Amino acid sequence: MTTTTTHQDDTVETADVIASTPDGRVLLIERDWPPYEGSWALPGGHVDPGETHRAAAARELVEETGVRVDAGDLRRVGVWGAPGRDPRGQYVTYAYAVTVPADTIAQAGDDARTARFWPLTDLPPLAFDHADIIAAALTD
């Protein structure tokens, strides 16, 4: 059974990672579960009880893509929590960015069918509001 961090109002907290390379690519996963099964998204997931958002982001990145980064290297981009951003209910995500080497290899893991780097200039349609999150990371 997976537990998640929630607020008194049943808001679920998640953490997402924009892992990009110096040559202009970003790491995405093809989701293996609803919602948006089969769609491309940023690596991320639920914040576990007692876990910081930053630690959750680093953990989810390695679980879903095999890419390891030090949580201290993650730079917070912002917080997204608009009603309706997730069809499961009120989800608030803390987004973090990190630059990884251009030769970083990603391999699909937990919750991902595929993990691969996409050119920022040619991204596929993205699940949730992840296109907005990536855009914010690029202007930050």
Side-chain angles (χ1 to χ4, degrees), residues 17-131:
V17 180
I18 305 100
S20 60
T21 62
D23 61 351
R25 296 176 300 132
V26 66
L27 181 57
L28 299 176
I29 62 154
E30 183 181 11
R31 291 179 55 84
D32 200 25
W33 302 100
Y36 299 106
E37 181 177 356
S39 295
W40 291 93
L42 292 167
H46 294 112
V47 177
D48 290 339
E51 185 177 40
T52 67
H53 299 103
R54 184 173 269 112
R59 175 184 52 76
E60 287 288 345
L61 181 63
V62 74
E63 285 178 3
E64 293 187 350
T65 70
V67 174
R68 291 187 186 278
V69 298
D70 186 287
D73 291 337
L74 294 169
R75 174 182 51 85
R76 193 163 108 175
V77 174
V79 180
W80 279 259
R85 70 174 295 273
D86 190 309
R88 296 170 289 189
Q90 184 61 35
Y91 277 63
V92 175
T93 196
Y94 292 73
Y96 294 88
V98 65
T99 302
V100 297
D103 62 352
T104 299
I105 297 172
Q107 184 173 344
D110 183 42
D111 297 336
R113 286 184 187 167
T114 308
R116 68 173 269 213
F117 285 92
W118 287 80
L120 285 165
T121 58
D122 190 27
L123 295 176
L126 298 175
F128 307 104
D129 51 3
H130 290 184

